[in-house]
Amino acid sequence: MELVCPAGNATALRVAIESGADTIYTGLSDATNARHFPGLNFSPDQLAQSITEAHGHGVRVLLAVNTYAQPQGWDHWRSAVDQAAALGVDGIILADIGLLEYAARTYPDLPRHLSVQGSATSVEALRFYHEYFGIRRAVLPRVLSLAQVQQIAADAPVELEVFGFGSLCIMAEGRCLLSSYATGESPNTAGACSPAGHVRWDETADGTLSSRLNGVLIDRFAAGEKAGYPTLCKGRFTVADRTDHTLEAPTSLNTLDLLPELHRAGITAIKLEGRQRSPGYIRQVAAVWRQAIDRCLTAPDAYAPEPGEKARLSALSEGSQTTLGAYSRSWQ
Amino acid sequence: MTDTTKPRIAIGPCQYFWPRAHTLAFYERIGASAADSVYLGETVCAKRRELRPDDWIALGRELAAAGKEVVLSTLTLVEARSEMGMVRRMCLNGEFLVEANDMAAVQILREQGLPFTGGPFLNIYNSHALLALRDLGMRRWVMPLELDGATLRALLDAAGPQRPETEVFAHGRLPLAWSARCFTARHHDLPKDQCGLRCIDDPDGRPVNTREGERFLTINGIQTQSGRVHNLLPAWQKLAAAGADLLRLSPRIGETPDLADALARAMADDTTTTLTQDGDDCSGYWHGAAGMDRIPLP
């Protein structure tokens, strides 16, 4: 089972190598990938150097070009695919049917992974992407229960990668327009959710802090209450007479407990979310997962996550809380 | 179809869970309305079974007899094998065109060599994707909800004349997101597996307000919708000029049949004066703005 780590810059990539990543996924510094944040990601030159460094350590590098190209951006998105091929990445992560078709036709030997943004949640959908675009691997959306993942894995025509840890999208990825409804920019179109440029914080005299996204009140915190980033699905809203986290509370996905089941199901790779995270975060999270995966592979029947590992991951999580997310029916 | 032809009126799949009698009464009115095409089927939650696939197909026969084009629409987020059975039943109905709302449905239809229409969540954002799916049998597509009019025009120009028919979501609450989690059940403190189908109490969804009392979103089972009603109807001539061959009205129980008639009258008279924006409507996506924005039309 392969450990797939994020890297938002060359330092993070080096840290991921040192911390035991088998594979590192990256993006270019523009809207062609789903973590298009200011100051993040790689120029082609930086990526070339990082690929050399990773390959020197026997670590693979993937490039995510996993947003959707619109007509005015097509040449730019296509050129990102061309760059991936020219730079010698070990695979390209795509979601757009147009780009998948282009990549399959132009670079048949460049391995294609279906991004989580491609929203393939069934064997039939995987067969579609495999038969028509020759994908080697698919990243499964974070909407499936463990039993559903196991069922899909039993018949999947491609390698499967699942999310192990990090920020939790509670909506089917690639099919969530909440961010563009509120701001005009979405993961599909702009590579960003609840983008920072639309965030505003207001503090009133009594210390109440309000977070807004393009003017919409996402949450309000009493003086001294810990305030989180206004990701709009994690805000507090009012439905009928109840005000609470209507969709989801701030929390992170953590599947350390499920490693043996995922391994036995034949999952090829565990992905850590967080190309926007700091090198320090990546060092800690990758180290925990490296050790956990190694223990699981050595003796899956004896595997149990160590309390210290879980505590370290919780401390790094949104709201200091973790969840099994959709893997557990009770969350759904 | 050329751009000067007036668009046809399509009634999209009902996103809500209505009691069977309400559903049948609604479609009786649609059958008597000016709508040209009617999409039938459960696209949100497989547990909603007031009408089962065979009931939708039977209803389709009645609407076809009333002169409507009938399209069967498939589940959007498919997770369990049992749900795939429902998708398969719709795809293999043997009578009606199918709207594929997930690539699984595209695959099933392709394996049978059947033509299909592509729903708004197939994520077709460029002409290359449009033509790739056309080559697999897609004869109509629904533009992604977040695309704007200028992008649609550019996309269709790039695709050329052999492109599939284009449908634009023109009225109704926008489906914005799909989740494994049922938000209606969560609101009622019920586990999803024992939800009691409480969404049947919300024929127009359940409002989600900000803590300032602003209507922001709507929860509808596993689906999250816009709080505002998306309304592009006063701009129907611009939609047609951008390449819309069909305009989709998303069912609202008391409103949609009359709206279809009003739209048909406006198109017959080549006017927009009878079509108005409500103060709570939104139209931002069409203009490349935030979807919730209210931008005056036409």
Side-chain angles (χ1 to χ4, degrees):
Chain A
M1 203 154 55
E2 183 181 319
L3 177 61
V4 182
C5 292
N9 57 45
T11 309
L13 182 132
R14 187 167 308 126
V15 162
I17 294 171
E18 292 165 2
S19 307
D22 297 302
T23 302
I24 298 171
Y25 65 106
T26 62
L28 295 169
S29 309
D30 57 31
T32 60
N33 73 90
R35 288 289 182 281
H36 178 215
F37 299 165
L40 197 72
N41 292 320
F42 292 77
S43 70
D45 286 347
Q46 290 166 340
L47 188 56
Q49 286 177 27
S50 288
I51 290 170
T52 304
E53 187 175 349
H55 286 178
H57 290 84
V59 173
R60 292 179 287 272
V61 176
L62 306 174
L63 183 70
V65 185
N66 59 347
T67 50
Y68 289 83
Q70 295 180 39
Q72 63 275 24
W74 174 259
D75 289 344
H76 185 70
W77 264 254
R78 189 188 56 189
S79 129
V81 175
D82 295 336
Q83 282 174 332
L87 289 166
V89 298
D90 300 283
I92 182 165
I93 306 170
L94 298 165
D96 184 323
I97 293 283
L99 292 172
L100 277 161
E101 192 273 335
Y102 173 76
R105 179 163 42 86
T106 315
Y107 306 105
D109 297 332
L110 175 63
R112 292 169 294 286
H113 293 193
L114 182 69
S115 168
V116 70
Q117 303 298 122
S119 199
T121 57
S122 64
V123 171
E124 285 78 359
L126 293 172
R127 279 217 314 272
F128 170 79
Y129 288 105
H130 181 239
E131 286 180 20
Y132 295 105
F133 309 113
I135 61 163
R136 177 177 73 180
R137 180 182 296 182
V139 185
L140 292 182
R142 284 162 279 190
V143 295
L144 297 167
S145 69
L146 178 63
Q148 288 163 352
V149 169
Q150 289 166 329
Q151 269 187 348
I152 291 171
D155 294 318
V158 296
E159 297 176 0
L160 297 180
E161 182 172 309
V162 301
F163 277 93
F165 183 78
S167 289
L168 175 65
C169 272
I170 57 165
M171 305 301 184
E173 298 92 334
R175 294 172 163 193
C176 180
L177 313 181
L178 290 175
S179 181
S180 66
Y181 180 68
T183 72
E185 295 176 43
S186 77
N188 284 2
T189 59
C193 171
S194 309
H198 292 274
V199 171
R200 203 175 81 228
W201 295 92
D202 306 324
E203 189 168 1
T204 49
D206 64 355
T208 302
L209 192 60
S210 297
S211 61
R212 293 176 188 277
L213 196 62
N214 198 17
V216 177
L217 181 67
I218 302 299
D219 211 339
R220 184 168 275 169
F221 306 92
E225 192 181 358
K226 196 175 171 193
Y229 187 88
T231 304
L232 56 80
C233 61
K234 294 175 182 174
R236 277 182 285 196
F237 304 106
T238 303
V239 178
D241 53 354
R242 287 181 65 165
T243 297
D244 57 13
H245 293 104
T246 303
L247 304 174
E248 173 60 314
T251 180
S252 291
L253 178 73
N254 180 13
T255 64
L256 268 186
D257 288 333
L258 304 182
L259 260 184
E261 283 95 336
L262 294 170
H263 173 56
R264 275 192 284 268
I267 299 299
T268 301
I270 301 285
K271 179 171 215 143
L272 309 183
E273 183 276 345
R275 283 189 284 128
Q276 73 282 15
R277 300 286 190 169
S278 70
Y281 171 97
I282 288 171
R283 183 183 300 283
Q284 295 190 64
V285 175
V288 167
W289 279 85
R290 176 75 273 159
Q291 290 169 20
I293 289 175
D294 288 347
R295 286 205 320 279
C296 177
L297 295 181
T298 307
D301 294 333
Y303 170 89
E306 291 175 359
E309 291 175 343
K310 293 181 81 167
R312 275 158 73 196
L313 292 182
S314 291
L316 294 164
S317 298
E318 274 183 74
S320 302
Q321 289 188 70
T322 64
T323 172
L324 285 173
Y327 288 108
S328 154
R329 287 296 290 184
S330 61
W331 179 90
Q332 298 189 12
Chain B
M1 171 169 283
T2 66
D3 293 340
T4 51
T5 309
K6 283 168 185 160
R8 308 200 295 284
I9 300 171
I11 308 299
C14 179
Q15 305 184 70
Y16 305 110
F17 186 42
W18 296 340
R20 181 185 174 89
H22 293 201
T23 301
L24 296 179
F26 176 83
Y27 285 108
E28 197 175 326
R29 290 190 63 204
I30 291 294
S33 78
D36 299 289
S37 297
V38 187
Y39 290 69
L40 300 175
E42 176 56 49
T43 60
V44 176
C45 177
K47 293 165 76 175
R48 297 172 169 181
R49 292 180 192 138
E50 287 282 294
L51 277 80
R52 291 166 185 269
D54 287 344
D55 299 320
W56 288 113
I57 292 166
L59 180 57
R61 289 186 191 121
E62 289 176 27
L63 286 163
K68 309 301 180 194
E69 182 208 40
V70 170
V71 184
L72 298 180
S73 198
T74 68
L75 199 64
T76 306
L77 179 60
V78 186
E79 297 177 313
R81 297 306 303 170
S82 56
E83 295 169 353
M84 191 59 70
M86 202 173 133
V87 172
R88 203 171 279 281
R89 175 72 188 97
M90 295 298 252
C91 289
L92 306 182
N93 75 86
E95 293 173 62
F96 302 116
L97 184 66
V98 174
E99 177 180 55
N101 288 314
D102 182 88
M103 288 307 176
V106 172
Q107 176 68 5
I108 291 168
L109 292 156
R110 260 299 296 147
E111 285 173 350
Q112 302 296 318
L114 293 167
F116 61 94
T117 176
F121 285 88
L122 292 193
N123 286 346
I124 299 163
Y125 283 85
N126 54 66
S127 61
H128 305 270
L130 184 72
L131 297 180
L133 286 165
R134 176 203 64 186
D135 292 346
L136 299 178
M138 188 175 74
R139 64 156 77 150
R140 182 186 300 165
W141 70 301
V142 185
M143 181 184 82
L145 308 177
E146 62 180 352
L147 281 189
D148 60 88
T151 298
L152 174 62
R153 185 68 266 172
L155 191 159
L156 295 178
D157 287 345
Q162 301 303 314
R163 61 183 189 245
E165 284 188 320
T166 299
E167 183 168 329
V168 174
F169 190 107
H171 191 276
R173 288 213 162 80
L174 295 157
L176 295 176
W178 312 79
S179 180
R181 173 175 270 181
C182 176
F183 302 110
T184 304
R186 176 175 165 84
H187 172 72
H188 293 294
D189 287 325
L190 294 167
K192 185 184 179 190
D193 292 337
Q194 290 135 36
C195 67
L197 298 169
R198 292 290 296 274
C199 55
I200 206 164
D201 298 334
D202 303 331
D204 199 28
R206 187 163 280 254
V208 177
N209 294 327
T210 70
R211 279 192 281 169
E212 292 173 322
E214 182 188 7
R215 174 77 180 264
F216 180 39
L217 300 170
T218 301
I219 52 176
N220 174 39
I222 65 145
Q223 185 193 58
T224 306
Q225 301 181 330
S226 59
R228 291 180 182 152
V229 172
H230 174 75
N231 180 8
L232 302 181
L233 298 184
W236 70 265
Q237 289 146 319
K238 288 189 173 168
L239 273 63
D245 300 306
L246 296 98
L247 304 182
R248 171 170 290 199
L249 313 184
S250 189
R252 300 188 69 206
I253 203 157
E255 178 184 38
T256 304
D258 292 339
L259 202 58
D261 289 341
L263 178 59
R265 281 195 302 274
M267 289 201 286
D269 298 344
D270 211 12
T271 178
T272 61
T273 50
T274 51
L275 300 168
T276 53
Q277 273 178 295
D278 188 275
D280 283 331
D281 290 350
C282 63
S283 55
Y285 276 141
W286 182 253
H287 301 272
M292 68 179 183
D293 285 355
R294 302 171 217 204
I295 295 175
L297 299 169

